[in-house]
Amino acid sequence: MFSTGQLIFAAFFVVAFIIVMIISYRKDLKLHKKYYKGSLLVLLAFIAFIVILFIIKTQLNH
């Protein structure tokens, strides 16, 4: 389906992309801590909301 060159390129691209994302995140870590202070609670609330909807859906189908 893909040639060997395409697979090698894809592998290098993925590795390079992940490295650049890690470097960028570490560079902006102070800003993330300052501006996104309560974002973890929002994420947990969103996940809890999705879990509750899933539980309600499964319980109503029985």
Side-chain angles (χ1 to χ4, degrees):
M1 185 178 211
F2 293 108
S3 70
T4 305
Q6 288 174 324
L7 292 174
I8 292 171
F9 174 78
F12 280 121
F13 181 82
V14 168
V15 170
F17 184 79
I18 290 172
I19 289 171
V20 169
M21 291 299 293
I22 290 171
I23 291 170
S24 296
Y25 181 77
R26 288 188 179 187
K27 185 177 174 183
D28 293 336
L29 193 57
K30 286 183 180 180
L31 291 175
H32 290 288
K33 287 181 180 179
K34 180 179 178 182
Y35 291 112
Y36 302 111
K37 212 171 194 177
S39 62
L40 185 61
L41 292 175
V42 173
L43 176 65
L44 292 175
F46 181 74
I47 292 172
F49 178 71
I50 298 297
V51 169
I52 290 170
L53 286 177
F54 180 75
I55 291 170
I56 291 171
K57 179 183 179 270
T58 56
Q59 293 299 319
L60 289 178
N61 284 339
H62 286 134

